[in-house]
Amino acid sequence: MSAGQIDHEKLTMAQALNRALHDAMVADDSVLMFGEDVGALGGVFRVTDGLTAQFGDTRCFDTPLAESGIVGMAVGMAMNGMRPVVEMQFDAFGYPAFEQIVSHVAKMRNRTRGRVHLPMVIRVPFGGGIGGVEHHCDSSEAYYAHTPGLHVVTPATPSDAYTLLRAAIASDDPVVFMEPKKLYWSKEEVALGTDGPGIGTAVVRREGTDATLIAYGPTVPVALEAADVAAQEGRSLQVVDLRSIVPFDDETVCAAVRSTGRAVVVAESAGFASVASEIVARVTQRCFHSLAAPIGRVTGFDIPFPPPKLEHFQLPGVDRVLDAVDDLQWEDQ
Amino acid sequence: MTSEDVLRLLPTDDPIRLIDADGSRVDGSGGDRYELPSDADLLHAYERLVVARRLNDQANALVRQGRLAVYPSSHGQEACQVGAAHVLQKGDWLFPTYRDTVAAMERGVDPVDVLTLLKGDWHSGYDPYETQVAPATTPLATQLPHAVGVAHAAQLRGESTVVMALTGDGGTSEGDFHEALNFAAVFKAPVVFFIQNNEYAISVPLARQSAARSLAHKGIGYGVPGRRVDGNDVAAVLAVLGDAVERARRGEGPQLVEAHTYRMQAHTNADDATRYRLDTEVASWVDRDPLTRLEKHLRGRGLLTDETHEQATAAADAMAQHVRDGLNRDIEPDARELFAHVYAEPTPQLREQAAQVAEEASREVAGR
């Protein structure tokens, strides 16, 4: 690819992530990828497919099955000149690494007064919607978002998956990169360039004038579909995709909500003490005088993620989103 | 793996000792596999043990004077820490715990800076890249996987770096100890895991910590050779750790060394050791003190002159004076800096919060 030219390819999100890893590894020898089954198998979702074959097993390699060891080793490698990317395989399998993430990944820069920084990415396939069994469908983003020192991003489109992962790898701060599992197979034309939205910028996915749906990761397509249906019913819904949970783009989100005066947050995780709660609180505080109704929330229930046959009750769907929009105290009702 | 290979992993029945508690040279008990360090090395170790003991004494005094918030003393363990630091070369890394103040100082970190966190400040106080000493870690054994990562990164670049990773007896019960040993073994990472078994994890004695024959035996399951050393014999510590470092540097992979020593003082100044151990037990270790042992040995061989002794005392005096001066300086921490290093660039939210604190801080100053 010559300078100034950007390739476009139709890719699934998993393929876009794979290309981002590939291109980052080509661009920078210090970028490494490791974790469980990421080598010969190419990852259980094939996100690391072909990387070991192309870059060798010192650049993309399998490790022993121990998540704290994986993240802890990545800390040491990041301290010593590398840019490691590690995979946690499934959301709930990342919990053994929690101490490493909270006590070291997040704090190293601060506790060394900025002298040691950790340019590392922790990839976490997350969320439900794929008929997964227990421990395979958690939405764990709030745990990480609550921890100062981490960036937490989640793409909702293959294009964002590519640019955000490139940005995460290039970042000098640790990034928890939450990959919505159920969108791995979503497909679109992807621009394979690094010029894109940086970490920390939300985007208005669909313009609308009556109310704003605020979503991230797996619920963005749900919000867009709800907006389609609402349009047929004569209601114009705007959709904001956060892309980045930390840093949070107050500016874009608040401008959107002020423009419509009504909002519903749509998120898959359990609602209590969640990212959705935080969004409602901060948007209410900043936009109170522009709001015609309390901000609504459509989230998962406060239960362990249910089994495949019942998961559709847990996942925010179009009907629930539209019901929540209906509850926004419309003057004509 | 043949049974012969397994035997090579086995630690000795007794810890390796080169100098007895009475200062005499030990023969046998596995010690004959290791050579006594040179006279020059032993004399240097003597001076550093004197300085190390003084750092412990001085830090304890500074806690009593309210200049340090807390101090986990390594009194009795100085031979381990001096030994661990002195077997390393320039470019090697040390991963200390909170009790390894002496080891960090011996790798060249200013002791005033080493005490930063214990002073109650919010950061580790020194630049880890200047001396290749990682920030001291409080959550037990969590630094061990980092040590493996640093070693593996160096290995991938073809560097000959060795990493010395310190932990205690309690640390060997933590999952990260086991994960780090396993990762290091699988990747043949040049790490020396050095356990200072001082018999207590705060109040919990070794018997409640592990039923293993010794903590060095914990390496066997991972294919990591274990060695046991008398941690109060600096000659043996230098010899055994020196050998382990050489093996790691030669590409033989990780090594596990357990030093048998004793925490002569309470966990920290905030702890009351009389609640869980007898004075008679503590007293029984006084005769095994690492400093007096080496002194007896060197005097017995006519190596320790009054001049050497005075020189060591002068070095300790100078260090203690430097530490007192450093810690008696009143430096007001700036609350605004609490927001400066959370990220490379503060988030918009942190900028708002920092502005709020800056405003509160200026009102505080104005109100004085």
Side-chain angles (χ1 to χ4, degrees), chain B residues 193-213:
Chain B
F193 295 94
F194 183 40
I195 306 163
Q196 292 173 69
N197 169 7
N198 67 13
E199 299 276 338
Y200 287 91
I202 304 189
S203 67
V204 178
L206 187 65
R208 184 44 67 93
Q209 208 61 247
S210 175
R213 174 101 177 259

Side-chain angles (χ1 to χ4, degrees), chain B residues 72-229:
Chain B
S73 168
S74 63
H75 188 116
Q77 299 174 226
E78 292 96 337
C80 296
Q81 304 208 5
V82 167
H86 287 257
V87 294
L88 297 178
Q89 294 177 4
K90 194 171 165 23
D92 289 345
W93 276 82
L94 177 80
F95 277 78
T97 74
Y98 51 80
R99 200 179 300 285
D100 302 314
T101 329
V102 165
M105 171 177 75
E106 291 305 289
R107 281 301 285 162
V109 185
D110 185 326
V112 174
D113 294 338
V114 178
L115 294 170
T116 304
L117 271 172
L118 302 170
K119 191 172 71 179
D121 216 328
W122 56 272
H123 57 85
S124 68
Y126 53 90
D127 181 348
Y129 292 120
E130 270 177 23
T131 47
Q132 276 76 47
V133 176
T137 308
T138 303
L140 296 187
T142 55
Q143 77 281 11
L144 303 180
H146 307 171
V148 179
V150 165
H152 189 50
Q155 194 177 31
L156 288 178
R157 286 194 298 264
E159 297 163 2
S160 62
T161 310
V162 171
V163 181
M164 176 72 66
L166 307 183
T167 190
D169 41 304
T172 70
S173 299
E174 294 279 5
D176 274 352
F177 171 79
H178 297 270
E179 296 191 20
L181 268 185
N182 189 40
F183 274 61
V186 167
F187 292 107
K188 270 200 141 190
V191 182
V192 176
F193 295 94
F194 183 40
I195 306 163
Q196 292 173 69
N197 169 7
N198 67 13
E199 299 276 338
Y200 287 91
I202 304 189
S203 67
V204 178
L206 187 65
R208 184 44 67 93
Q209 208 61 247
S210 175
R213 174 101 177 259
S214 82
L215 301 178
H217 281 77
K218 293 190 178 191
I220 298 169
Y222 302 106
V224 176
R227 300 286 175 258
R228 303 173 69 189
V229 64

Side-chain angles (χ1 to χ4, degrees), chain A residues 126-128 139 141 154-156 178-183 215-223 266-268 315-316:
Chain A
F126 85 114
S139 291
E141 66 272 20
T154 176
M178 310 286 301
E179 301 171 2
K181 284 191 286 274
K182 75 170 187 186
L183 301 184
Y216 59 90
T219 54
V220 172
V222 178
V266 188
E268 210 178 284
L315 297 167

Side-chain angles (χ1 to χ4, degrees), chain A residues 191-211:
Chain A
L192 300 169
T194 49
D195 288 341
I199 291 169
T201 56
V203 63
V204 176
R205 286 270 170 229
R206 180 190 174 109
E207 293 295 350
T209 52
D210 293 335

